[in-house]
Amino acid sequence: MEAERFLNYKEEFFMMLRFRKMMAVLLAAALTLTMLTACGGGGSGRGKAVNEKVELTKSVNEALKKDKYRVSLNYNAELDDVASNYHINDVGNTNADWKNKKLDREMFRVDIPEVEKADSASKIAKEIEPTLTNMKDYEWSIGYYVEPKENNKKEVVSREITIILEWKEVTK
């Protein structure tokens, strides 16, 4: 009888080990699948927004080239935060107030109706053109903050884009 109990105990012990191993493999598989499904790139949408702003910057550069400007703008994501902070905190200030602070930056605002969204690059280029004309020997960076404007029906009717231009003198 003792031998039979020992064999039953031994058999239960090995079944428990197999069960634990099987559960560990299933848990690892479940964790791997949840990790992979979380990497869809959606998240906060910042990645998508950055890609859209890089494309917008390329389009603005193309619009400037059509007007025979040899200036090339580089998108800078850090300037997005500057534009956001300026838009939210200092809405009442003007460019003159900002220029008095002796920063190598300038802020612009462009309101683009939703129906003209496809033409936003040329509108931005037209707005920043005078600044670029006066200062040709500089490296330019640009950042954006986009604020959608809605009507009573919660439909986006226009987008107010706060644009920050930053420049550095090119050393020869």
Side-chain angles (χ1 to χ4, degrees), residues 14-30:
F14 284 116
M15 279 182 61
M16 185 60 101
L17 283 179
R18 280 184 283 198
F19 178 74
R20 285 183 180 176
K21 286 181 183 179
M22 207 169 20
M23 289 307 291
V25 168
L26 285 173
L27 183 61

Coordinates of all heavy atoms in Angstrom, one line a residue, residues 14-30:
F14 N 4.6 15.0 -10.7 CA 5.0 15.3 -12.1 C 3.9 16.0 -12.9 O 4.2 16.8 -13.8 CB 5.6 14.0 -12.7 CG 6.9 13.6 -12.3 CD1 7.1 12.5 -11.6 CD2 8.0 14.5 -12.5 CE1 8.4 12.1 -11.2 CE2 9.3 14.1 -12.1 CZ 9.5 13.0 -11.4
M15 N 2.7 15.6 -12.6 CA 1.6 16.3 -13.3 C 1.5 17.8 -12.9 O 1.3 18.6 -13.8 CB 0.2 15.6 -12.9 CG 0.0 14.4 -13.7 SD -1.6 13.6 -13.3 CE -2.8 14.9 -13.8
M16 N 1.8 18.1 -11.7 CA 1.8 19.5 -11.2 C 3.0 20.2 -11.9 O 2.8 21.4 -12.3 CB 2.0 19.5 -9.7 CG 1.9 20.9 -9.1 SD 0.3 21.7 -9.5 CE -0.5 21.5 -8.0
L17 N 4.1 19.6 -12.0 CA 5.2 20.2 -12.7 C 4.9 20.5 -14.2 O 5.2 21.6 -14.7 CB 6.5 19.4 -12.7 CG 7.3 19.3 -11.4 CD1 8.4 18.4 -11.5 CD2 7.7 20.7 -11.0
R18 N 4.3 19.5 -14.9 CA 3.9 19.7 -16.3 C 2.8 20.9 -16.4 O 2.9 21.7 -17.3 CB 3.3 18.5 -16.9 CG 4.4 17.5 -17.3 CD 3.8 16.3 -18.0 NE 3.3 15.5 -16.8 CZ 3.0 14.3 -16.9 NH1 3.0 13.6 -18.1 NH2 2.5 13.6 -15.9
F19 N 1.9 20.9 -15.4 CA 0.9 21.9 -15.4 C 1.5 23.3 -15.2 O 1.2 24.2 -15.9 CB -0.1 21.6 -14.3 CG -1.2 22.7 -14.1 CD1 -2.2 22.8 -15.1 CD2 -1.2 23.6 -13.1 CE1 -3.2 23.7 -15.0 CE2 -2.1 24.6 -13.0 CZ -3.2 24.6 -13.9
R20 N 2.5 23.4 -14.3 CA 3.2 24.7 -14.1 C 3.9 25.1 -15.4 O 3.9 26.3 -15.7 CB 4.1 24.6 -12.9 CG 3.4 24.6 -11.6 CD 4.4 24.6 -10.5 NE 3.8 24.5 -9.2 CZ 4.5 24.4 -8.1 NH1 5.8 24.3 -8.1 NH2 3.8 24.4 -6.9
K21 N 4.6 24.2 -16.0 CA 5.3 24.5 -17.2 C 4.4 25.0 -18.3 O 4.6 26.0 -19.0 CB 6.2 23.3 -17.7 CG 7.4 23.1 -16.9 CD 8.2 21.9 -17.4 CE 9.3 21.6 -16.5 NZ 10.1 20.4 -17.0
M22 N 3.3 24.3 -18.4 CA 2.3 24.6 -19.4 C 1.7 26.0 -19.2 O 1.5 26.8 -20.1 CB 1.2 23.6 -19.5 CG 0.5 23.5 -20.8 SD -0.6 22.1 -21.1 CE -1.0 21.5 -19.5
M23 N 1.4 26.3 -17.9 CA 0.9 27.6 -17.5 C 1.9 28.7 -17.8 O 1.5 29.8 -18.2 CB 0.4 27.6 -16.1 CG -0.9 26.8 -15.8 SD -2.2 27.2 -16.9 CE -2.6 28.8 -16.3
A24 N 3.2 28.4 -17.5 CA 4.2 29.4 -17.7 C 4.3 29.7 -19.2 O 4.5 30.9 -19.6 CB 5.6 28.9 -17.2
V25 N 4.2 28.7 -20.1 CA 4.3 28.9 -21.5 C 3.1 29.7 -22.0 O 3.2 30.7 -22.8 CB 4.4 27.6 -22.3 CG1 4.2 27.8 -23.8 CG2 5.8 27.0 -22.0
L26 N 1.9 29.4 -21.5 CA 0.7 30.1 -21.9 C 0.7 31.6 -21.4 O 0.4 32.5 -22.2 CB -0.5 29.4 -21.3 CG -1.0 28.1 -22.0 CD1 -2.1 27.5 -21.2 CD2 -1.4 28.4 -23.4
L27 N 1.2 31.8 -20.2 CA 1.3 33.2 -19.7 C 2.3 34.0 -20.5 O 2.1 35.1 -20.9 CB 1.7 33.1 -18.2 CG 1.8 34.5 -17.5 CD1 0.5 35.2 -17.6 CD2 2.3 34.3 -16.1
A28 N 3.5 33.4 -20.9 CA 4.5 34.1 -21.7 C 3.9 34.4 -23.1 O 4.1 35.5 -23.6 CB 5.7 33.2 -21.8
A29 N 3.1 33.5 -23.6 CA 2.5 33.7 -24.9 C 1.5 34.8 -24.9 O 1.5 35.7 -25.7 CB 1.9 32.4 -25.5
A30 N 0.7 34.8 -23.8 CA -0.3 35.9 -23.6 C 0.4 37.2 -23.5 O -0.1 38.2 -24.0 CB -1.2 35.6 -22.4

